[in-house]
Amino acid sequence: MKFVRLPVTNVSCPPDYKYRCALTFGFNSRLNDYKVVRLVTFILGKKCNEVEVYSLSTNSWKSIGVIPPRINSMGWHSGHAVSNGIVYWIMGEGEDYSFHLVWFDTGSEVFEQVFLPEAIVEGLGSVEREIQAYKESVCLLQCERSEPELHFGLWVLQEKCLNKMHTVVIPGMWVWPMPLGFKTNDELLVDYVGKKGEIYLAIYNLQTKQINETRVRLPKDCFLESDSLDTYVESLLLLKGWSTQTRKNMLRILCPLCCGK
């Protein structure tokens, strides 16, 4: 029941600057290390991005000094996910605001990007959390139709290319259904609103195209705050020798959102 408080970040954010910040936490199995990646997109005062990485093994932040010029000219738009130690974001570029899937490998510290297909861009923002970890990669969820049934496409990143793999259909009898994330490779968790305003959980199987109601009732806070879900793998992390704090019934890693605040 311990947590580690992260040190103050290296990126300075003057009061007259406007910026957006994305934080992503994950495990890099190749390095056997836990990482927090902080992307800051400045939109006023200076137009650029700054990226820094916190490593649990060193308990310190490292600024990424070299960002490819094209990616540095983009701005973070939405979404973030991590898979196999690689962090992913949706970023926009230029006045016409073309969209890209950008990723950063926390091991090699290399950036890469790929254009989003027009079919994805048309439905961008219609799903709260567009990027999801999927198998050994990530997928993007894109709303295709909302009435009378919710249709959304599942696009998977394969060999630096986004390919549409499935179309998920959620029955129209449900109110405000929303995909949350994957329980297994072929099972997608979905929440929906019941007749009396309760939030319930259901499971959609991508192979059989069948949806099963679990009758599991979710706290309303899950719906009000954000429609999202994260998977985890059970592990044992010993924090011996660390400057740690304890809190009853809680296990947390605290991340400073803005300049250590």
Side-chain angles (χ1 to χ4, degrees), residues 103-235:
W103 60 94
F104 171 74
D105 191 319
T106 59
S108 64
E109 298 185 351
V110 170
F111 291 87
E112 294 191 69
Q113 60 86 25
V114 62
F115 273 104
L116 293 189
E118 189 62 31
I120 295 179
V121 174
E122 290 176 358
L124 206 58
S126 56
V127 177
E128 279 294 319
R129 198 165 181 203
E130 296 104 340
I131 313 175
Q132 302 276 353
Y134 181 72
K135 296 185 178 181
E136 297 300 314
S137 183
V138 292
C139 68
L140 272 70
L141 303 174
Q142 179 262 337
C143 183
E144 298 173 343
R145 191 173 72 191
S146 58
E147 293 181 358
E149 298 175 321
L150 175 64
H151 289 227
F152 63 88
L154 178 70
W155 296 71
V156 180
L157 181 64
Q158 298 174 317
E159 297 181 354
K160 301 182 182 181
C161 183
L162 285 161
N163 299 305
K164 186 177 180 181
M165 304 298 291
H166 298 276
T167 296
V168 178
V169 180
I170 306 298
M173 62 182 180
W174 286 1
V175 179
W176 295 107
M178 185 63 66
L180 298 176
F182 289 92
K183 179 176 179 286
T184 66
N185 289 340
D186 294 320
E187 292 183 331
L188 177 66
L189 294 176
V190 179
D191 72 358
Y192 64 97
V193 181
K195 294 181 179 179
K196 297 182 179 180
E198 311 94 334
I199 312 301
Y200 290 104
L201 190 67
I203 299 176
Y204 180 93
N205 189 292
L206 296 179
Q207 299 303 320
T208 65
K209 300 187 183 300
Q210 298 295 314
I211 190 161
N212 297 315
E213 298 185 44
T214 66
R215 304 309 298 174
V216 173
R217 186 172 174 178
L218 299 177
K220 286 192 175 182
D221 288 346
C222 293
F223 180 76
L224 294 174
E225 294 294 332
S226 175
D227 293 290
S228 62
L229 174 145
D230 285 297
T231 58
Y232 76 99
V233 176
E234 290 186 353
S235 61

